[in-house]
Amino acid sequence: MRYYVVDAFTSEAFGGNPAGVVLLGKNGAFPDDELMRKVAAELRYSETAFVQQNGPTEFTVRYFTPAAEVDLCGHATIATFGVLRQEGIVPTGAVCMNHTLAGDLQVKIGPRVMMQMAPPRHVDQAVDVERLHHIMAGASQLQWPELPVEIISTGLPDIIMPMSTVEDLNAMQPDMAALAQLSSELNVVGVHAVVLTDDGFTGHVRNFGPLYGVPEESATGTANAALTHYLHRNGLITAPCECRFLQGEAMNRPSVVATTLRDDGNIWVGGDSRIIARGDLLVS
């Protein structure tokens, strides 16, 4: 199996969000689930994508964290199709089909990779906001805006949590054990915190998913798509529009995640990627 280490949502090496990508070849069978999890744990990135080619532009992709399989991962998808383009497996201009556990999603191969997200949905489940704020603030004294906290999914459910200032966002020190417990109770991946800005970005964001072995991610496609739906749902943006989110600042891995909200409410997410390593996995 051929593997790659790819920085997604950046054109610069050592920026963005690193992901593992493992190519199984055309009609190559997926390995045992536990082996894929172990490979993800060995590579030590938040997600590793395992890619089966079904046709010239048709693929099945499965995503593993070091702890478990997840239905979809935005940054690992951007990394995957960036590899397929850069290795000449799919051409620039192609529209690919990505079969995932979250559904069948299109991916457009252009100057940047843009992926269709699963239809956005609001999860009608109450969040104890006072408990959430206590968990997320940790030792910090933070201010909170008059905006709702909601659970939104575009393939994976996340708690969207608005914050008041970029300074508060970067000062946040979540209690990871307590957040993992809350995430398990609410059946969400984690928390996506946002501060809305007018500095060339729609917002600055941070994402936390300790339940899945990911204390913090430097770029999160699914969560920023969910955030885009949240902003539209709450009247903060109107369709059609494009958004740009800056993530990873607190990790010294700045990432730019682009989203497109269409008139029909569908959301696409995309960005650049950079291969920084490749090799062969000597396991089967």
Side-chain angles (χ1 to χ4, degrees), residues 46-87:
S46 57
E47 278 89 6
T48 293
F50 293 81
V51 187
Q52 180 186 70
Q53 185 170 10
N54 311 122
T57 58
E58 183 178 358
F59 301 86
T60 299
V61 182
R62 294 176 64 184
Y63 306 89
F64 283 79
T65 75
E69 184 173 14
V70 293
D71 289 353
L72 184 66
C73 174
H75 83 273
T77 301
I78 300 303
T80 292
F81 285 88
V83 166
L84 295 173
R85 179 188 62 193
Q86 292 177 63
E87 294 290 59

Side-chain angles (χ1 to χ4, degrees), residues 7-12 78-79 85 111-113 256 270-274:
D7 290 335
F9 294 114
T10 183
S11 59
E12 302 293 329
I78 300 303
R85 179 188 62 193
R112 62 187 181 189
V113 173
V256 178
D272 297 319
S273 64
R274 173 77 177 267

Side-chain angles (χ1 to χ4, degrees), residues 205-273:
V205 299
R206 293 178 72 184
N207 184 273
F208 306 91
L211 178 63
Y212 287 88
V214 187
E216 183 169 3
E217 278 203 304
S218 56
T220 321
T222 52
N224 281 302
L227 171 57
T228 301
H229 178 71
Y230 169 93
L231 296 177
H232 184 239
R233 169 183 164 83
N234 286 286
L236 298 167
I237 60 174
T238 57
C241 70
E242 294 186 357
C243 299
R244 295 173 75 240
F245 300 105
L246 183 60
Q247 188 173 340
E249 294 172 284
M251 303 173 70
N252 293 316
R253 293 191 70 102
S255 310
V256 178
V257 182
T259 67
T260 299
L261 172 65
R262 299 191 172 187
D263 280 323
D264 59 7
N266 286 324
I267 298 169
W268 292 65
V269 171
D272 297 319
S273 64

Side-chain angles (χ1 to χ4, degrees), residues 1-3 22-24 29 31 35 39 50 279-284:
M1 294 182 287
R2 190 73 164 161
Y3 80 91
V22 178
L23 300 186
L24 304 177
L35 176 60
V39 168
F50 293 81
D280 294 311
L281 285 169
L282 305 180
V283 294
S284 60

Side-chain angles (χ1 to χ4, degrees), residues 76-224:
T77 301
I78 300 303
T80 292
F81 285 88
V83 166
L84 295 173
R85 179 188 62 193
Q86 292 177 63
E87 294 290 59
I89 298 170
V90 295
T92 299
V95 178
C96 299
M97 178 57 68
N98 182 20
H99 301 291
T100 77
L101 293 180
D104 295 341
L105 307 174
Q106 289 186 319
V107 180
K108 293 184 177 180
I109 312 300
R112 62 187 181 189
V113 173
M114 295 294 295
M115 60 177 288
Q116 178 190 18
M117 303 306 297
R121 63 183 180 91
H122 171 260
V123 179
D124 190 16
Q125 185 172 8
V127 178
D128 185 334
V129 176
E130 183 176 349
R131 178 186 175 193
L132 173 67
H133 286 171
H134 178 75
I135 290 170
M136 298 306 295
S140 305
Q141 298 295 317
L142 307 178
Q143 301 297 315
W144 309 97
E146 294 293 328
L147 288 169
V149 171
E150 296 179 341
I151 300 175
I152 306 290
S153 175
T154 56
L156 297 173
D158 275 289
I159 300 170
I160 305 298
M161 186 187 76
M163 298 190 67
S164 295
T165 68
V166 173
E167 290 74 20
D168 278 353
L169 180 73
N170 290 330
M172 191 162 48
Q173 301 174 18
D175 180 333
M176 294 298 179
L179 176 56
Q181 177 62 38
L182 178 64
S183 299
S184 178
E185 293 173 16
L186 295 176
N187 194 30
V188 299
V189 173
V191 168
H192 199 58
V194 57
V195 176
L196 300 181
T197 56
D198 57 1
D199 57 357
F201 296 97
T202 310
H204 294 231
V205 299
R206 293 178 72 184
N207 184 273
F208 306 91
L211 178 63
Y212 287 88
V214 187
E216 183 169 3
E217 278 203 304
S218 56
T220 321
T222 52
N224 281 302

